Amino acid sequence: MRPAAAAALLLRRCRAAAPQQQLRGCSAAAAGGAPPPGALDERLLELLVCPLSKTPLRHDAARGLLVNDELGVAWPIVDGVPHLPQRMRRRAMLRAAPAGGQASAARLRVRAPLAGGGSRPAPPRAGVPCRARRGRRSLTGEDVELELEAAGPALSAEDKARQRVLKDVLRKINDKHGQGTVMQMTDGAIDVERTPSGCLTLDRATGGGYPKGRIVEIFGPESSGKTTLALHAIAEVQRAGGVACFIDAEHAFDSAYAKRLGIDVESLLVCQPDHGEMAFNVMDELVRSGVVGLVVVDSVSALVPRSELEGDIGTPQIGSQARLMSVALRKIAANAAKSGCTIMFINQLRFKVGVLFGNPETTSGGNALKYYASMRLDIRAKEKINEAGRPEPVGNKVKVKVVKNKVSPPFDTAEFDIMYGDGINALGCVFDVAKELEVLEARGSHYYFEGAKLAQGRENVLVHLKDNPDTAARVKTAVKARLAEAVAARGAAARAGGAGAAGLSGDDGDEGFDDVDFDDDEALMRDLEKAADAAGGGL
């Protein structure tokens, strides 16, 4: 049966199931004049348009009905949800707009009943014929939809014409270059998924972990834990069922240490390139495959250009590595965003020559990586961790500062322990975040979880959690749930505030923990030198 005939049959069924006495009240409570247990949002009435009639539906609040006066059909409203007549055994959901906002786009799906008065529902798949018994006529199970278009202010004729032109242009662009070339924010095209970092304190600082399809840079001094952070990210990707690649430009990969951190070294892809061009070509092929979820480059300083390798040692190659990074990142950044692959660069520190004021530290590879990176992490070792009875330290307490973040509010810090040979102390991260989010209750130096005492002092609590994995798992689950709520609330507050929103990524030139603006310092030095020269002296 054609959709028009199915719609006409549906209209007859609705009229038969909703006689005029139903317009006078669909329940005893409504007939008695009692208010319905939930009113329908009045702003939605202007959006409800039935394909069988262009007359807007009317909300009878006193009797709890949604009425179409032209067709003589009414739907009862219970708890703010309009219900179809009972004989049809169908319900339709309405989504009310938030207070002060616009109504979101939604649909009211009405499944067509069987021909011949049957009470069995139509098949769940649209377009599949449903044949009734005893030779009754067949009726396709196509949906009859009530469209709710987005609410908004009344548009003038000029604005409507402009909207039509815009829709035509967007349709032509998407037809020519592919669907999704130009999208609206309501299409959810800017949602960024995250990969856990393996450290809950760092997940809290970064807003949920490393963003997928983006470039991440980790830099810091030697022996600060840069490679350890990258290896933990690889372990998290593999734990989620993904594929990771480690481009070992320094030729210093330790498979035994990686295995202790939880990495499946048998399934890990490892590349030791001969030069920088080879590393970027391998990276581009892996990224465009759409299979690899994470590519780690260790490190940017070891990506030597081919021209430098073919020349003699000592021959100046000014800016060759910076040009290589700039050309490669222009191509790889777009491919990574399309495939959802995270590219993580480990970088080393260098010192600027002749800097008298401010922080002289900078990173190698030029400035291109600073601009293309969506997240930059500065990791520093604060102090050594010692154990009683052992003269040598057993780990480092490190501090990570998010100096740039395009997907969450920046400039947050995270502190955690890195144990020699074992990597990040996961239980220590759980304890720190649980204490900060008040998952663990502190009574003096004693800590309690769900009313039960754990131990006294941080180290004793960690020993207790290590000896009781079930308790540790319950604490970690509670911390992750509370952390997800905190991150969501923080992002909503940042978007509402504007100044600290996720789009505010921070100063790309800001490196280190002293928050010094290097560009301003250099400009100040030039101004002082000019002033001294004008005064006849020297600076």
Side-chain angles (χ1 to χ4, degrees):
M1 181 179 294
R2 295 182 179 179
L9 179 59
L10 173 62
L11 175 57
R12 291 195 298 269
R13 289 289 176 189
C14 290
R15 286 176 172 171
Q20 292 298 324
Q21 59 267 23
Q22 191 179 23
L23 297 177
R24 295 191 294 268
C26 63
S27 63
L40 185 69
D41 196 332
E42 298 291 342
R43 292 171 295 180
L44 295 177
L45 297 179
E46 300 178 357
L47 308 176
L48 290 171
V49 178
C50 179
L52 306 179
S53 171
K54 299 302 181 181
T55 303
L57 300 180
R58 177 174 56 85
H59 178 214
D60 193 340
R63 292 175 290 181
L65 295 175
L66 193 62
V67 184
N68 189 316
D69 295 323
E70 180 181 355
L71 302 178
V73 181
W75 287 269
I77 300 174
V78 180
D79 295 332
V81 178
H83 289 244
L84 296 176
Q86 186 176 2
R87 289 181 59 183
M88 295 180 63
R89 301 179 185 273
R90 287 294 177 267
R91 301 172 61 182
M93 300 299 295
L94 272 179
R95 298 178 183 176
Q102 296 180 353
S104 58
R107 285 185 177 183
L108 284 176
R109 292 186 177 271
V110 182
R111 182 68 65 177
L114 287 175
S119 60
R120 280 176 30 192
R125 291 178 297 174
V128 178
C130 176
R131 299 188 179 278
R133 297 177 182 178
R134 301 183 183 89
R136 293 171 181 168
R137 294 186 305 167
S138 62
L139 177 65
T140 58
E142 296 181 356
D143 293 341
V144 179
E145 299 177 351
L146 304 180
E147 297 289 344
L148 278 74
E149 299 179 354
L155 299 178
S156 62
E158 182 179 357
D159 293 336
K160 292 181 179 179
R162 189 181 295 110
Q163 291 291 336
R164 286 195 298 269
V165 172
L166 178 60
K167 290 182 179 179
D168 293 339
V169 171
L170 294 180
R171 179 178 54 79
K172 292 179 180 179
I173 292 176
N174 290 327
D175 291 343
K176 181 178 180 180
H177 301 283
Q179 192 65 28
T181 303
V182 180
M183 296 170 289
Q184 292 180 334
M185 292 293 293
T186 54
D187 297 333
I190 315 299
D191 295 339
V192 180
E193 299 181 2
R194 305 298 185 97
T195 298
S197 63
C199 173
L200 286 180
T201 54
L202 187 57
D203 288 343
R204 176 174 173 80
T206 56
Y210 304 120
K212 293 184 179 181
R214 303 294 184 93
I215 296 177
V216 179
E217 181 186 8
I218 302 176
F219 64 94
E222 69 283 354
S223 300
S224 58
K226 302 184 295 296
T227 305
T228 300
L229 275 184
L231 293 178
H232 275 282
I234 292 176
E236 292 296 329
V237 170
Q238 290 184 340
R239 192 173 291 112
V243 179
C245 176
F246 190 88
I247 298 180
D248 184 22
E250 295 182 352
H251 295 73
F253 179 70
D254 188 353
S255 59
Y257 180 60
K259 192 172 183 179
R260 287 197 298 270
L261 296 187
I263 295 179
D264 184 7
V265 294
E266 284 78 11
S267 61
L268 177 65
L269 304 178
V270 179
C271 174
Q272 293 182 335
D274 298 331
H275 44 78
E277 287 82 355
M278 175 181 174
F280 281 113
N281 287 330
V282 171
M283 183 192 308
D284 185 50
E285 293 290 338
L286 293 175
V287 168
R288 287 192 290 111
S289 68
V291 179
V292 179
L294 175 65
V295 177
V296 176
V297 180
D298 188 12
S299 63
V300 174
S301 302
L303 295 177
V304 184
R306 183 187 303 173
S307 60
E308 186 173 333
L309 290 177
E310 294 175 351
D312 296 333
I313 297 178
T315 303
Q317 299 283 343
I318 301 175
S320 59
Q321 190 182 41
R323 289 194 297 270
L324 172 64
M325 292 291 296
S326 180
V327 172
L329 290 176
R330 283 199 297 266
K331 180 179 181 181
I332 293 177
N335 294 334
K338 294 177 181 178
S339 63
C341 176
T342 303
I343 302 178
M344 183 177 295
F345 288 94
I346 299 175
N347 211 343
Q348 302 175 4
L349 292 181
R350 298 292 184 264
F351 285 89
K352 299 178 182 179
V353 179
V355 177
L356 302 178
F357 299 94
N359 192 342
E361 293 178 348
T362 185
T363 54
S364 60
N367 293 326
L369 183 57
K370 299 178 183 179
Y371 291 102
Y372 281 100
S374 295
M375 183 180 295
R376 303 184 70 227
L377 306 179
D378 187 347
I379 180 171
R380 309 286 174 122
K382 290 184 59 179
E383 58 185 18
K384 303 294 184 181
I385 300 176
N386 298 294
E387 284 186 357
R390 299 187 62 176
E392 69 278 359
V394 296
N396 289 339
K397 183 176 289 295
V398 301
K399 182 176 182 180
V400 176
K401 181 177 181 181
V402 185
V403 298
K404 180 180 180 181
N405 196 347
K406 285 187 175 181
V407 292
S408 291
F411 307 125
D412 206 345
T413 59
E415 296 186 9
F416 50 91
D417 300 336
I418 295 181
M419 313 306 294
Y420 298 153
D422 296 327
I424 296 175
N425 187 357
L427 285 180
C429 297
V430 172
F431 174 84
D432 295 336
V433 180
K435 180 181 177 182
E436 184 178 358
L437 298 179
E438 299 181 353
V439 175
L440 296 181
E441 181 184 359
R443 301 176 186 175
S445 59
H446 299 266
Y447 292 93
Y448 294 80
F449 175 65
E450 296 180 349
K453 181 179 178 181
L454 298 181
Q456 180 182 8
R458 182 178 186 273
E459 299 301 327
N460 293 330
V461 172
L462 296 183
V463 173
H464 177 80
L465 294 178
K466 187 176 181 180
D467 296 337
N468 298 271
D470 295 338
T471 304
R474 289 192 292 113
V475 173
K476 187 175 182 180
T477 301
V479 167
K480 286 186 175 181
R482 190 73 62 85
L483 182 60
E485 296 175 1
V487 170
R490 179 183 177 188
R495 288 190 295 270
L504 182 61
S505 59
D507 189 1
D508 292 335
D510 188 343
E511 300 172 1
F513 292 106
D514 48 2
D515 294 334
V516 177
D517 192 344
F518 305 134
D519 296 335
D520 291 347
D521 291 335
E522 295 176 358
L524 178 61
M525 286 297 300
R526 290 193 296 268
D527 294 340
L528 290 177
E529 291 174 356
K530 292 180 181 179
D533 294 337
L539 184 60

